[in-house]
Each structure stands twice: as C-alpha cells, then as structure tokens.
Amino acid sequence: MNNSDEIPPGYARVTEILQPFASFDGIDPAVLARAADRGSRVHKYCELYTQNLLIEKIDEDCRPYVESFIQWFDAMVEEMWVSEMRLSCSKYLVTGKLDMVATLKGDKEETIIDLKTPQQASLSWRLQTAAYRYLMRACEGIDIPRRICLILDKEGGKPKIVEYTDHETDERLFLGAAELFHFFKR
C-alpha cells in the first residue's frame, strides 16, 4: 500500500493495464496527444476548484469542460473526501490515481467520480472505476458503493453521468487483466 504520487518500480498504472482494450485506431497521434494534454489540464483545474484554489486563468481550450464540471460540482457535491489520490496495491502490482471521492447530495455514502473529457463512453471505463474501487478497499479499507464517470461537456453544458453497478464482475475482469499484464511483461 502506497498512497504517495510516485509509481513504485515494477507497478503498472490502471490505465496502462487497460490500454490494449481502448481502441484509438484511425485517430491521428498528434490529435490524441493534444486531447491528452487538454484532459490533464482540465483535471488540474477541476482539482483546484474542489479545493477552493482555482484562481488562475483557465486555458480557452479547457474552459467549457471546467465550466461543465463547476456546474455539476456546485449542484451535486455535498462533501469532498479525496481529490487526485494515488493508491498502490502490492498484491497485483497495480497503482491508480482517483480523480475524486465525494458524497453526493441526497446520498449517505461516498461515490468514486472519474472525470472524462471524451464525449463518448469507453467500455474500459467500467474496469478503470472498478480498479479504483478495489484500490480504495485494499489500501484504505473503505468499500465505496458507487462509481461514476462524469463526461464533461465540451460546450460547457450539463455533463453526462455514466454509472457502473456490476462491481463484482468489473473488478474480477480488471484483476484478471492485471494478472495477464504482468504475466506477459515478465
């Protein structure tokens, strides 16, 4: 169990394990690189907002996504628990960085919230959020009952919520993928 931001030697990131299952065929690598950079900056702005630290000017290409997030956050979040926390599990040599864990208005328990800038949901997100749920339980002893992806609107409007509820299957599939990843990386 390691919750520093460093990736321990020999560990694989959750997203690295799932990379072979996320198809980007036919997308120009330069376009992907720009989208990844924008996504990282959007995540940073959103993290700063959750901590009441967003005082800098928001890059124009990020502004609509951040506005979408702020609209949702202000309307839906009762209490923040975790923002951008890295967890590492020695049993499966897996590490992942959770975007957010929060209690949503009207809920009594926490929700794992993964921020997304792509406008279409990816099947791999189910397993990514299942991995984060597993890491919270394995590393922190906290069983979080809900997990969602928040698809931030590129026009600044209301974000879409995709919720995953088959925790057992999704976790089993992710842990199997992690074992196969390390088996073939030997």
Side-chain angles (χ1 to χ4, degrees):
M1 166 175 87
N2 169 22
N3 60 7
S4 80
D5 201 38
E6 290 185 31
I7 297 172
Y11 282 62
R13 293 182 333 275
V14 167
T15 52
E16 182 182 7
I17 290 167
L18 297 173
Q19 183 67 41
F21 310 109
S23 176
F24 297 110
D25 297 342
I27 301 175
D28 181 347
V31 170
L32 283 175
R34 283 193 303 275
D37 174 64
R38 182 189 62 233
S40 294
R41 289 180 286 127
V42 166
H43 273 75
K44 188 62 182 171
Y45 290 129
C46 293
E47 176 190 11
L48 290 171
Y49 187 80
T50 67
Q51 300 170 358
N52 294 317
L53 297 173
L54 185 61
I55 55 173
E56 61 188 85
K57 183 181 181 302
I58 299 169
D59 297 335
E60 279 306 310
D61 63 333
C62 298
R63 180 174 301 287
Y65 297 98
V66 176
E67 289 172 354
S68 179
F69 173 77
I70 290 170
Q71 176 187 144
W72 175 84
F73 185 88
D74 289 349
M76 295 303 299
V77 174
E78 181 75 35
E79 186 174 0
M80 275 294 297
W81 294 96
V82 167
S83 179
E84 297 294 328
M85 182 171 86
R86 177 163 304 282
L87 296 170
S88 301
C89 171
S90 60
K91 180 176 180 180
Y92 290 96
L93 297 175
V94 171
T95 185
K97 194 172 198 178
L98 288 78
D99 291 343
M100 291 174 58
V101 175
T103 302
L104 302 181
K105 291 180 181 174
D107 284 356
K108 293 179 181 165
E109 298 181 288
E110 300 83 16
T111 299
I112 291 172
I113 303 150
D114 201 51
L115 305 180
K116 299 294 185 186
T117 55
Q119 299 302 286
Q120 293 289 87
S122 168
L123 197 53
S124 66
W125 296 355
R126 282 181 57 179
L127 304 188
Q128 182 182 5
T129 58
Y132 297 153
R133 184 174 183 271
Y134 169 79
L135 287 169
M136 281 298 289
R137 196 172 62 256
C139 299
E140 300 294 316
I142 301 170
D143 190 16
I144 299 181
R146 290 186 73 192
R147 53 194 173 98
I148 65 172
C149 285
L150 187 67
I151 302 175
L152 303 175
D153 187 71
K154 67 180 180 178
E155 303 295 327
K158 185 178 178 180
K160 294 178 198 154
I161 295 172
V162 181
E163 184 165 1
Y164 304 104
T165 57
D166 191 349
H167 304 312
E168 187 177 309
T169 299
D170 295 347
E171 187 176 296
R172 180 177 45 79
L173 288 170
F174 174 76
L175 294 175
E179 287 185 301
L180 283 170
F181 178 89
H182 287 294
F183 174 81
F184 285 106
K185 283 287 184 182
R186 290 180 208 207

PDB file of all heavy atoms in Angstrom, residues 125-153:
ATOM      1  N   TRP A 125     -13.797   2.146 -19.194  1.00  0.00           N
ATOM      2  CA  TRP A 125     -14.075   2.953 -18.006  1.00  0.00           C
ATOM      3  C   TRP A 125     -14.705   2.125 -16.906  1.00  0.00           C
ATOM      4  O   TRP A 125     -14.489   2.392 -15.730  1.00  0.00           O
ATOM      5  CB  TRP A 125     -14.970   4.132 -18.346  1.00  0.00           C
ATOM      6  CG  TRP A 125     -14.375   5.131 -19.285  1.00  0.00           C
ATOM      7  CD1 TRP A 125     -13.095   5.150 -19.789  1.00  0.00           C
ATOM      8  CD2 TRP A 125     -15.036   6.252 -19.852  1.00  0.00           C
ATOM      9  NE1 TRP A 125     -12.935   6.215 -20.628  1.00  0.00           N
ATOM     10  CE2 TRP A 125     -14.118   6.914 -20.692  1.00  0.00           C
ATOM     11  CE3 TRP A 125     -16.324   6.761 -19.747  1.00  0.00           C
ATOM     12  CZ2 TRP A 125     -14.437   8.060 -21.401  1.00  0.00           C
ATOM     13  CZ3 TRP A 125     -16.645   7.905 -20.458  1.00  0.00           C
ATOM     14  CH2 TRP A 125     -15.712   8.552 -21.265  1.00  0.00           C
ATOM     15  N   ARG A 126     -15.499   1.136 -17.276  1.00  0.00           N
ATOM     16  CA  ARG A 126     -16.103   0.240 -16.270  1.00  0.00           C
ATOM     17  C   ARG A 126     -15.014  -0.406 -15.424  1.00  0.00           C
ATOM     18  O   ARG A 126     -15.112  -0.464 -14.194  1.00  0.00           O
ATOM     19  CB  ARG A 126     -16.896  -0.877 -16.954  1.00  0.00           C
ATOM     20  CG  ARG A 126     -18.223  -0.511 -17.458  1.00  0.00           C
ATOM     21  CD  ARG A 126     -18.921  -1.685 -18.096  1.00  0.00           C
ATOM     22  NE  ARG A 126     -19.038  -2.807 -17.179  1.00  0.00           N
ATOM     23  CZ  ARG A 126     -19.621  -3.944 -17.475  1.00  0.00           C
ATOM     24  NH1 ARG A 126     -20.127  -4.137 -18.675  1.00  0.00           N
ATOM     25  NH2 ARG A 126     -19.712  -4.906 -16.583  1.00  0.00           N
ATOM     26  N   LEU A 127     -13.989  -0.917 -16.106  1.00  0.00           N
ATOM     27  CA  LEU A 127     -12.931  -1.618 -15.389  1.00  0.00           C
ATOM     28  C   LEU A 127     -12.007  -0.646 -14.671  1.00  0.00           C
ATOM     29  O   LEU A 127     -11.482  -0.956 -13.596  1.00  0.00           O
ATOM     30  CB  LEU A 127     -12.148  -2.517 -16.346  1.00  0.00           C
ATOM     31  CG  LEU A 127     -12.984  -3.536 -17.133  1.00  0.00           C
ATOM     32  CD1 LEU A 127     -12.073  -4.493 -17.882  1.00  0.00           C
ATOM     33  CD2 LEU A 127     -13.948  -4.282 -16.245  1.00  0.00           C
ATOM     34  N   GLN A 128     -11.809   0.533 -15.241  1.00  0.00           N
ATOM     35  CA  GLN A 128     -10.980   1.543 -14.588  1.00  0.00           C
ATOM     36  C   GLN A 128     -11.581   1.945 -13.244  1.00  0.00           C
ATOM     37  O   GLN A 128     -10.891   1.970 -12.224  1.00  0.00           O
ATOM     38  CB  GLN A 128     -10.837   2.759 -15.495  1.00  0.00           C
ATOM     39  CG  GLN A 128      -9.954   3.847 -14.926  1.00  0.00           C
ATOM     40  CD  GLN A 128      -9.862   5.057 -15.833  1.00  0.00           C
ATOM     41  OE1 GLN A 128     -10.535   5.152 -16.877  1.00  0.00           O
ATOM     42  NE2 GLN A 128      -9.049   6.014 -15.442  1.00  0.00           N
ATOM     43  N   THR A 129     -12.882   2.228 -13.231  1.00  0.00           N
ATOM     44  CA  THR A 129     -13.514   2.625 -11.972  1.00  0.00           C
ATOM     45  C   THR A 129     -13.596   1.456 -10.996  1.00  0.00           C
ATOM     46  O   THR A 129     -13.500   1.652  -9.782  1.00  0.00           O
ATOM     47  CB  THR A 129     -14.909   3.238 -12.210  1.00  0.00           C
ATOM     48  OG1 THR A 129     -15.736   2.295 -12.902  1.00  0.00           O
ATOM     49  CG2 THR A 129     -14.820   4.541 -12.995  1.00  0.00           C
ATOM     50  N   ALA A 130     -13.729   0.240 -11.525  1.00  0.00           N
ATOM     51  CA  ALA A 130     -13.713  -0.953 -10.656  1.00  0.00           C
ATOM     52  C   ALA A 130     -12.340  -1.103 -10.003  1.00  0.00           C
ATOM     53  O   ALA A 130     -12.237  -1.473  -8.833  1.00  0.00           O
ATOM     54  CB  ALA A 130     -14.070  -2.203 -11.448  1.00  0.00           C
ATOM     55  N   ALA A 131     -11.287  -0.800 -10.748  1.00  0.00           N
ATOM     56  CA  ALA A 131      -9.930  -0.859 -10.196  1.00  0.00           C
ATOM     57  C   ALA A 131      -9.778   0.151  -9.061  1.00  0.00           C
ATOM     58  O   ALA A 131      -9.203  -0.164  -8.010  1.00  0.00           O
ATOM     59  CB  ALA A 131      -8.902  -0.589 -11.291  1.00  0.00           C
ATOM     60  N   TYR A 132     -10.291   1.356  -9.251  1.00  0.00           N
ATOM     61  CA  TYR A 132     -10.198   2.371  -8.199  1.00  0.00           C
ATOM     62  C   TYR A 132     -10.979   1.941  -6.957  1.00  0.00           C
ATOM     63  O   TYR A 132     -10.531   2.150  -5.824  1.00  0.00           O
ATOM     64  CB  TYR A 132     -10.709   3.720  -8.702  1.00  0.00           C
ATOM     65  CG  TYR A 132      -9.902   4.297  -9.839  1.00  0.00           C
ATOM     66  CD1 TYR A 132     -10.481   5.158 -10.754  1.00  0.00           C
ATOM     67  CD2 TYR A 132      -8.554   3.978 -10.009  1.00  0.00           C
ATOM     68  CE1 TYR A 132      -9.742   5.692 -11.804  1.00  0.00           C
ATOM     69  CE2 TYR A 132      -7.820   4.506 -11.051  1.00  0.00           C
ATOM     70  CZ  TYR A 132      -8.416   5.361 -11.946  1.00  0.00           C
ATOM     71  OH  TYR A 132      -7.696   5.883 -12.975  1.00  0.00           O
ATOM     72  N   ARG A 133     -12.116   1.339  -7.163  1.00  0.00           N
ATOM     73  CA  ARG A 133     -12.917   0.840  -6.037  1.00  0.00           C
ATOM     74  C   ARG A 133     -12.148  -0.244  -5.288  1.00  0.00           C
ATOM     75  O   ARG A 133     -12.099  -0.254  -4.058  1.00  0.00           O
ATOM     76  CB  ARG A 133     -14.257   0.305  -6.557  1.00  0.00           C
ATOM     77  CG  ARG A 133     -15.192  -0.142  -5.461  1.00  0.00           C
ATOM     78  CD  ARG A 133     -16.562  -0.518  -6.051  1.00  0.00           C
ATOM     79  NE  ARG A 133     -17.475  -0.887  -4.991  1.00  0.00           N
ATOM     80  CZ  ARG A 133     -17.617  -2.120  -4.519  1.00  0.00           C
ATOM     81  NH1 ARG A 133     -16.928  -3.118  -5.031  1.00  0.00           N
ATOM     82  NH2 ARG A 133     -18.458  -2.363  -3.531  1.00  0.00           N
ATOM     83  N   TYR A 134     -11.527  -1.157  -6.043  1.00  0.00           N
ATOM     84  CA  TYR A 134     -10.711  -2.206  -5.430  1.00  0.00           C
ATOM     85  C   TYR A 134      -9.553  -1.587  -4.637  1.00  0.00           C
ATOM     86  O   TYR A 134      -9.289  -1.987  -3.503  1.00  0.00           O
ATOM     87  CB  TYR A 134     -10.162  -3.162  -6.504  1.00  0.00           C
ATOM     88  CG  TYR A 134      -9.119  -4.086  -5.934  1.00  0.00           C
ATOM     89  CD1 TYR A 134      -9.493  -5.212  -5.201  1.00  0.00           C
ATOM     90  CD2 TYR A 134      -7.761  -3.809  -6.070  1.00  0.00           C
ATOM     91  CE1 TYR A 134      -8.533  -6.042  -4.628  1.00  0.00           C
ATOM     92  CE2 TYR A 134      -6.805  -4.625  -5.503  1.00  0.00           C
ATOM     93  CZ  TYR A 134      -7.188  -5.739  -4.785  1.00  0.00           C
ATOM     94  OH  TYR A 134      -6.244  -6.544  -4.212  1.00  0.00           O
ATOM     95  N   LEU A 135      -8.866  -0.624  -5.234  1.00  0.00           N
ATOM     96  CA  LEU A 135      -7.724   0.002  -4.555  1.00  0.00           C
ATOM     97  C   LEU A 135      -8.147   0.704  -3.265  1.00  0.00           C
ATOM     98  O   LEU A 135      -7.426   0.643  -2.264  1.00  0.00           O
ATOM     99  CB  LEU A 135      -7.018   0.986  -5.496  1.00  0.00           C
ATOM    100  CG  LEU A 135      -6.197   0.350  -6.610  1.00  0.00           C
ATOM    101  CD1 LEU A 135      -5.775   1.399  -7.642  1.00  0.00           C
ATOM    102  CD2 LEU A 135      -4.967  -0.356  -6.039  1.00  0.00           C
ATOM    103  N   MET A 136      -9.286   1.365  -3.271  1.00  0.00           N
ATOM    104  CA  MET A 136      -9.764   2.012  -2.043  1.00  0.00           C
ATOM    105  C   MET A 136     -10.009   0.981  -0.945  1.00  0.00           C
ATOM    106  O   MET A 136      -9.675   1.206   0.210  1.00  0.00           O
ATOM    107  CB  MET A 136     -11.043   2.812  -2.303  1.00  0.00           C
ATOM    108  CG  MET A 136     -10.818   4.153  -2.957  1.00  0.00           C
ATOM    109  SD  MET A 136      -9.823   5.306  -1.975  1.00  0.00           S
ATOM    110  CE  MET A 136     -10.967   5.706  -0.671  1.00  0.00           C
ATOM    111  N   ARG A 137     -10.569  -0.145  -1.317  1.00  0.00           N
ATOM    112  CA  ARG A 137     -10.851  -1.194  -0.333  1.00  0.00           C
ATOM    113  C   ARG A 137      -9.560  -1.863   0.125  1.00  0.00           C
ATOM    114  O   ARG A 137      -9.344  -2.065   1.317  1.00  0.00           O
ATOM    115  CB  ARG A 137     -11.824  -2.217  -0.927  1.00  0.00           C
ATOM    116  CG  ARG A 137     -12.461  -3.117   0.102  1.00  0.00           C
ATOM    117  CD  ARG A 137     -13.562  -4.008  -0.453  1.00  0.00           C
ATOM    118  NE  ARG A 137     -13.082  -4.922  -1.471  1.00  0.00           N
ATOM    119  CZ  ARG A 137     -13.273  -4.786  -2.786  1.00  0.00           C
ATOM    120  NH1 ARG A 137     -13.967  -3.770  -3.264  1.00  0.00           N
ATOM    121  NH2 ARG A 137     -12.804  -5.673  -3.630  1.00  0.00           N
ATOM    122  N   ALA A 138      -8.676  -2.202  -0.811  1.00  0.00           N
ATOM    123  CA  ALA A 138      -7.437  -2.917  -0.491  1.00  0.00           C
ATOM    124  C   ALA A 138      -6.447  -2.039   0.280  1.00  0.00           C
ATOM    125  O   ALA A 138      -5.762  -2.531   1.176  1.00  0.00           O
ATOM    126  CB  ALA A 138      -6.788  -3.450  -1.771  1.00  0.00           C
ATOM    127  N   CYS A 139      -6.380  -0.774  -0.081  1.00  0.00           N
ATOM    128  CA  CYS A 139      -5.360   0.105   0.514  1.00  0.00           C
ATOM    129  C   CYS A 139      -5.858   0.915   1.707  1.00  0.00           C
ATOM    130  O   CYS A 139      -5.106   1.183   2.632  1.00  0.00           O
ATOM    131  CB  CYS A 139      -4.825   1.067  -0.546  1.00  0.00           C
ATOM    132  SG  CYS A 139      -4.044   0.270  -1.937  1.00  0.00           S
ATOM    133  N   GLU A 140      -7.100   1.320   1.653  1.00  0.00           N
ATOM    134  CA  GLU A 140      -7.634   2.203   2.681  1.00  0.00           C
ATOM    135  C   GLU A 140      -8.688   1.539   3.555  1.00  0.00           C
ATOM    136  O   GLU A 140      -9.142   2.128   4.528  1.00  0.00           O
ATOM    137  CB  GLU A 140      -8.231   3.462   2.035  1.00  0.00           C
ATOM    138  CG  GLU A 140      -7.228   4.280   1.222  1.00  0.00           C
ATOM    139  CD  GLU A 140      -6.143   4.893   2.072  1.00  0.00           C
ATOM    140  OE1 GLU A 140      -6.463   5.427   3.150  1.00  0.00           O
ATOM    141  OE2 GLU A 140      -4.972   4.845   1.660  1.00  0.00           O
ATOM    142  N   GLY A 141      -9.126   0.325   3.166  1.00  0.00           N
ATOM    143  CA  GLY A 141     -10.151  -0.374   3.933  1.00  0.00           C
ATOM    144  C   GLY A 141     -11.535   0.239   3.808  1.00  0.00           C
ATOM    145  O   GLY A 141     -12.389   0.038   4.657  1.00  0.00           O
ATOM    146  N   ILE A 142     -11.754   0.989   2.723  1.00  0.00           N
ATOM    147  CA  ILE A 142     -13.033   1.666   2.517  1.00  0.00           C
ATOM    148  C   ILE A 142     -13.733   1.051   1.313  1.00  0.00           C
ATOM    149  O   ILE A 142     -13.192   1.039   0.204  1.00  0.00           O
ATOM    150  CB  ILE A 142     -12.825   3.178   2.293  1.00  0.00           C
ATOM    151  CG1 ILE A 142     -12.115   3.799   3.498  1.00  0.00           C
ATOM    152  CG2 ILE A 142     -14.160   3.868   2.024  1.00  0.00           C
ATOM    153  CD1 ILE A 142     -11.656   5.222   3.280  1.00  0.00           C
ATOM    154  N   ASP A 143     -14.948   0.557   1.531  1.00  0.00           N
ATOM    155  CA  ASP A 143     -15.744  -0.035   0.462  1.00  0.00           C
ATOM    156  C   ASP A 143     -16.722   1.024  -0.052  1.00  0.00           C
ATOM    157  O   ASP A 143     -17.667   1.385   0.638  1.00  0.00           O
ATOM    158  CB  ASP A 143     -16.498  -1.265   0.985  1.00  0.00           C
ATOM    159  CG  ASP A 143     -17.148  -2.066  -0.126  1.00  0.00           C
ATOM    160  OD1 ASP A 143     -16.789  -1.863  -1.304  1.00  0.00           O
ATOM    161  OD2 ASP A 143     -18.009  -2.900   0.182  1.00  0.00           O
ATOM    162  N   ILE A 144     -16.469   1.525  -1.245  1.00  0.00           N
ATOM    163  CA  ILE A 144     -17.281   2.601  -1.791  1.00  0.00           C
ATOM    164  C   ILE A 144     -18.373   2.001  -2.681  1.00  0.00           C
ATOM    165  O   ILE A 144     -18.078   1.285  -3.626  1.00  0.00           O
ATOM    166  CB  ILE A 144     -16.408   3.602  -2.561  1.00  0.00           C
ATOM    167  CG1 ILE A 144     -15.398   4.206  -1.573  1.00  0.00           C
ATOM    168  CG2 ILE A 144     -17.261   4.676  -3.220  1.00  0.00           C
ATOM    169  CD1 ILE A 144     -14.478   5.216  -2.134  1.00  0.00           C
ATOM    170  N   PRO A 145     -19.636   2.308  -2.369  1.00  0.00           N
ATOM    171  CA  PRO A 145     -20.752   1.640  -3.050  1.00  0.00           C
ATOM    172  C   PRO A 145     -21.080   2.147  -4.453  1.00  0.00           C
ATOM    173  O   PRO A 145     -21.737   1.458  -5.212  1.00  0.00           O
ATOM    174  CB  PRO A 145     -21.934   1.882  -2.111  1.00  0.00           C
ATOM    175  CG  PRO A 145     -21.588   3.127  -1.380  1.00  0.00           C
ATOM    176  CD  PRO A 145     -20.089   3.145  -1.262  1.00  0.00           C
ATOM    177  N   ARG A 146     -20.635   3.350  -4.807  1.00  0.00           N
ATOM    178  CA  ARG A 146     -20.982   3.895  -6.126  1.00  0.00           C
ATOM    179  C   ARG A 146     -19.737   4.296  -6.886  1.00  0.00           C
ATOM    180  O   ARG A 146     -18.760   4.758  -6.299  1.00  0.00           O
ATOM    181  CB  ARG A 146     -21.870   5.137  -5.986  1.00  0.00           C
ATOM    182  CG  ARG A 146     -23.261   4.856  -5.503  1.00  0.00           C
ATOM    183  CD  ARG A 146     -24.125   6.097  -5.525  1.00  0.00           C
ATOM    184  NE  ARG A 146     -24.473   6.432  -6.914  1.00  0.00           N
ATOM    185  CZ  ARG A 146     -25.030   7.592  -7.270  1.00  0.00           C
ATOM    186  NH1 ARG A 146     -25.276   8.526  -6.367  1.00  0.00           N
ATOM    187  NH2 ARG A 146     -25.344   7.828  -8.526  1.00  0.00           N
ATOM    188  N   ARG A 147     -19.831   4.168  -8.221  1.00  0.00           N
ATOM    189  CA  ARG A 147     -18.757   4.649  -9.089  1.00  0.00           C
ATOM    190  C   ARG A 147     -19.361   5.178 -10.377  1.00  0.00           C
ATOM    191  O   ARG A 147     -20.214   4.543 -10.984  1.00  0.00           O
ATOM    192  CB  ARG A 147     -17.711   3.574  -9.356  1.00  0.00           C
ATOM    193  CG  ARG A 147     -18.247   2.280  -9.859  1.00  0.00           C
ATOM    194  CD  ARG A 147     -17.199   1.148  -9.781  1.00  0.00           C
ATOM    195  NE  ARG A 147     -17.829  -0.095 -10.122  1.00  0.00           N
ATOM    196  CZ  ARG A 147     -17.778  -0.670 -11.328  1.00  0.00           C
ATOM    197  NH1 ARG A 147     -17.063  -0.122 -12.286  1.00  0.00           N
ATOM    198  NH2 ARG A 147     -18.409  -1.793 -11.560  1.00  0.00           N
ATOM    199  N   ILE A 148     -18.935   6.381 -10.724  1.00  0.00           N
ATOM    200  CA  ILE A 148     -19.454   7.035 -11.927  1.00  0.00           C
ATOM    201  C   ILE A 148     -18.323   7.663 -12.732  1.00  0.00           C
ATOM    202  O   ILE A 148     -17.266   8.003 -12.188  1.00  0.00           O
ATOM    203  CB  ILE A 148     -20.509   8.128 -11.606  1.00  0.00           C
ATOM    204  CG1 ILE A 148     -19.877   9.286 -10.822  1.00  0.00           C
ATOM    205  CG2 ILE A 148     -21.700   7.544 -10.868  1.00  0.00           C
ATOM    206  CD1 ILE A 148     -20.803  10.487 -10.643  1.00  0.00           C
ATOM    207  N   CYS A 149     -18.577   7.815 -14.025  1.00  0.00           N
ATOM    208  CA  CYS A 149     -17.743   8.650 -14.878  1.00  0.00           C
ATOM    209  C   CYS A 149     -18.570   9.882 -15.210  1.00  0.00           C
ATOM    210  O   CYS A 149     -19.756   9.775 -15.546  1.00  0.00           O
ATOM    211  CB  CYS A 149     -17.344   7.914 -16.156  1.00  0.00           C
ATOM    212  SG  CYS A 149     -16.073   6.665 -15.872  1.00  0.00           S
ATOM    213  N   LEU A 150     -17.947  11.015 -15.080  1.00  0.00           N
ATOM    214  CA  LEU A 150     -18.595  12.289 -15.365  1.00  0.00           C
ATOM    215  C   LEU A 150     -18.020  12.796 -16.682  1.00  0.00           C
ATOM    216  O   LEU A 150     -16.857  13.200 -16.745  1.00  0.00           O
ATOM    217  CB  LEU A 150     -18.322  13.274 -14.222  1.00  0.00           C
ATOM    218  CG  LEU A 150     -19.055  14.592 -14.269  1.00  0.00           C
ATOM    219  CD1 LEU A 150     -20.561  14.377 -14.071  1.00  0.00           C
ATOM    220  CD2 LEU A 150     -18.513  15.538 -13.202  1.00  0.00           C
ATOM    221  N   ILE A 151     -18.821  12.717 -17.741  1.00  0.00           N
ATOM    222  CA  ILE A 151     -18.378  13.155 -19.066  1.00  0.00           C
ATOM    223  C   ILE A 151     -18.646  14.656 -19.171  1.00  0.00           C
ATOM    224  O   ILE A 151     -19.788  15.096 -19.322  1.00  0.00           O
ATOM    225  CB  ILE A 151     -19.111  12.386 -20.189  1.00  0.00           C
ATOM    226  CG1 ILE A 151     -18.866  10.874 -20.032  1.00  0.00           C
ATOM    227  CG2 ILE A 151     -18.659  12.885 -21.555  1.00  0.00           C
ATOM    228  CD1 ILE A 151     -19.645  10.013 -21.012  1.00  0.00           C
ATOM    229  N   LEU A 152     -17.578  15.438 -19.061  1.00  0.00           N
ATOM    230  CA  LEU A 152     -17.696  16.887 -19.079  1.00  0.00           C
ATOM    231  C   LEU A 152     -18.061  17.363 -20.482  1.00  0.00           C
ATOM    232  O   LEU A 152     -17.496  16.890 -21.471  1.00  0.00           O
ATOM    233  CB  LEU A 152     -16.393  17.528 -18.604  1.00  0.00           C
ATOM    234  CG  LEU A 152     -15.938  17.093 -17.207  1.00  0.00           C
ATOM    235  CD1 LEU A 152     -14.583  17.694 -16.874  1.00  0.00           C
ATOM    236  CD2 LEU A 152     -16.979  17.449 -16.158  1.00  0.00           C
ATOM    237  N   ASP A 153     -18.987  18.292 -20.565  1.00  0.00           N
ATOM    238  CA  ASP A 153     -19.490  18.759 -21.853  1.00  0.00           C
ATOM    239  C   ASP A 153     -18.496  19.715 -22.506  1.00  0.00           C
ATOM    240  O   ASP A 153     -18.042  20.677 -21.878  1.00  0.00           O
ATOM    241  CB  ASP A 153     -20.843  19.448 -21.657  1.00  0.00           C
ATOM    242  CG  ASP A 153     -21.484  19.808 -22.966  1.00  0.00           C
ATOM    243  OD1 ASP A 153     -21.924  18.889 -23.678  1.00  0.00           O
ATOM    244  OD2 ASP A 153     -21.515  21.011 -23.288  1.00  0.00           O
TER     245      ASP A 153
END
